[in-house]
Amino acid sequence: MRATPAGERLSIGIVGGSLGGLFAASLLTRRGHRVTVFERSRTGLERRGAGLVAQQELYDLLHAVGRDAEARVGVVATDRITLARDGRVLTSDPTPQIQVSWDHTYSVFRSLIPPEGYRLGQAVATVHDRDQGATVETVTGELHEFDLVVGADGLRSVTRHVVAPDDDRNRYAGYITWRGLIPEAELPAAAARTLLGRFAFYSGPEVHMLGYLVPGADGETEPGARRYSWVWYRSMSEHELADLMQLTHRPAGSSSTAPGDLPSELRERLLAEAEQLLPPPFAAAVAAEPRPFMQAIYDYVPPRMTSGRIALLGDAAAVVRPHTARGAAKAAGDALALAAGLDLGLGVDAALSQYEAERLPIARAISDYGRRIARSLQL
């Protein structure tokens, strides 16, 4: 099969328009490739996420797409604290850390994709490997031909099934996370004095919680305009998870809820459990969130990341525990490695072989690290 000369423009289809898909699309577009993103949401994904801990791969990617200034849009936690059950600060470690917001990061990378290259309401049924190319098939039966297809379609990836049909199942980790994202001014004064400006943690039996400040929805970082992001991990059996999905009227097999999905009686139960299980500052943060949302935690590492002219990226390639704070960073690293391989001009097949050889061991290492953290937290 012929090599692709350095600088040759490829037609590239990307399945999934969340962060992983945007990372790849923005970088490959900047490299001169013709990129089309297929996103199943009809309205877009703005305001869908919460907070991210900034990692080097994200800064590297911002530099690669010419948006270095966005690296400064973050909130610094001056120290990391651990709370006792009664709300006292047990430990304090002066380790500065930068947090960014999911929605601002999404907006930055979304702005780098031409409108015609980002197709909303385009749910993909499957993809097909072809001789010297690949095809995206939408649920309406439309076929779109490309030189290369990238599956960045997340936890429920349809692309993954084509790349690794014998081993494409996510494995439930036995616990979930509740999340909230509130204006910092909504925190009661006593909770704000303990939590704001710090990266705070609490661990109890089958419970782990953390919280931190992130920029406002449009990247605001000045005090008063920021938001507080909290994450509450709790053990939950598969049967209990299925019951929760039924009570929130989610389709069978679902594993997450969106803000606003939780009925008022379930939110009241959540608040009561927060009062019972969490330090008062964290219980106050939970109470201040009118629309908490949830996601179940899974593991998945593939036997391979590529097949023919199809490659996996981000959560479609490997699902890692959120404790690692490396989900978005891993997706950014995937995008950088894929683009670097294509830049060599050795051909798509050689680029994909190099991509898998570089990124699959990294995915395995991050996954192992996340499971070790979870065991240490007794989750």
Side-chain angles (χ1 to χ4, degrees):
M1 191 171 292
R2 71 182 181 90
T4 303
E8 180 173 337
R9 286 160 52 94
L10 299 171
S11 63
I12 301 174
I14 296 180
V15 183
S18 191
L19 284 189
L22 288 177
F23 290 165
S26 59
L27 186 56
L28 294 169
T29 297
R30 189 173 177 85
R31 296 289 206 272
H33 301 293
R34 302 181 303 276
V35 179
T36 303
V37 178
F38 297 85
E39 169 50 49
R40 66 182 178 181
S41 169
R42 296 183 179 278
T43 58
L45 302 176
E46 289 85 355
R47 308 292 190 262
R48 294 288 183 95
L52 299 172
V53 177
Q55 304 282 2
Q56 187 59 47
E57 292 93 334
L58 182 58
Y59 295 133
D60 292 342
L61 184 60
L62 286 168
H63 177 72
V65 297
R67 298 300 293 268
D68 293 270
E70 300 297 341
R72 296 190 290 272
V73 181
V75 177
V76 178
T78 57
D79 56 345
R80 297 164 70 91
I81 63 171
T82 302
L83 298 182
R85 172 64 185 83
D86 62 7
R88 290 177 297 113
V89 177
L90 286 177
T91 65
S92 179
D93 178 16
T95 304
Q97 182 170 286
I98 300 176
Q99 296 81 236
V100 299
S101 69
W102 189 98
D103 41 14
H104 180 69
T105 303
Y106 172 88
S107 297
V108 168
F109 285 95
R110 176 69 181 84
S111 71
L112 301 175
I113 312 301
E116 66 275 12
Y118 191 91
R119 301 186 180 182
L120 290 169
Q122 293 284 301
V124 172
T126 189
V127 298
H128 307 277
D129 185 40
R130 306 293 192 198
D131 182 38
Q132 299 191 31
T135 303
V136 171
E137 180 180 346
T138 67
V139 295
T140 58
E142 296 178 359
L143 297 176
H144 303 268
E145 299 283 345
F146 298 98
D147 296 316
L148 166 65
V149 167
V150 178
D153 45 344
L155 185 74
R156 305 294 181 187
S157 171
V158 299
T159 316
R160 182 198 294 171
H161 181 69
V162 177
V163 173
D166 298 328
D167 184 7
D168 67 342
R169 185 175 63 88
N170 301 302
R171 294 162 181 85
Y172 181 50
Y175 60 100
I176 66 165
T177 178
W178 289 103
R179 304 197 70 161
L181 185 67
I182 55 178
E184 63 177 300
E186 298 297 321
L187 273 177
R193 284 194 295 271
T194 299
L195 298 176
L196 294 188
R198 297 158 139 182
F199 206 108
F201 297 87
Y202 169 71
S203 289
E206 298 187 328
V207 170
H208 179 65
M209 188 158 185
L210 62 145
Y212 48 87
L213 281 168
V214 300
D218 295 314
E220 302 92 340
T221 58
E222 62 272 15
R226 304 166 299 184
R227 295 170 295 173
Y228 190 74
S229 174
W230 57 260
V231 186
W232 180 12
Y233 296 98
R234 302 189 62 184
S235 295
M236 180 175 286
S237 71
E238 285 192 274
H239 178 73
E240 291 169 326
L241 175 60
D243 285 347
L244 177 60
M245 293 298 96
Q246 185 176 24
L247 290 170
T248 54
H249 309 293
R250 299 287 293 150
S254 297
S255 59
S256 64
T257 65
D261 282 350
L262 198 64
S264 58
E265 62 271 18
L266 292 184
R267 178 176 176 268
E268 291 302 318
R269 184 193 305 174
L270 190 70
L271 301 191
E273 292 170 345
E275 288 284 347
Q276 177 185 357
L277 298 172
L278 298 175
F282 275 150
V286 173
E289 171 55 83
R291 304 197 306 160
F293 52 103
M294 183 278 294
Q295 69 181 100
I297 306 302
Y298 290 90
D299 292 308
Y300 176 75
V301 178
R304 64 191 66 86
M305 289 178 65
T306 65
S307 178
R309 291 294 187 93
I310 303 168
L312 300 177
L313 181 147
D315 285 351
V319 181
V320 299
R321 308 280 179 106
H323 319 293
T324 65
R326 298 201 61 82
K330 182 176 69 64
D334 289 347
L336 288 162
L338 180 61
L342 294 172
D343 283 348
L344 295 176
L346 301 177
V348 176
D349 304 294
L352 294 188
S353 178
Q354 174 178 301
Y355 169 70
E356 179 177 284
E358 177 181 342
R359 297 303 297 175
L360 186 53
I362 292 173
R364 288 172 177 156
I366 297 173
S367 178
D368 290 344
Y369 174 52
R371 287 196 294 271
R372 289 196 303 272
I373 295 174
R375 285 194 295 270
S376 73
L377 298 173
Q378 303 180 44
L379 290 170

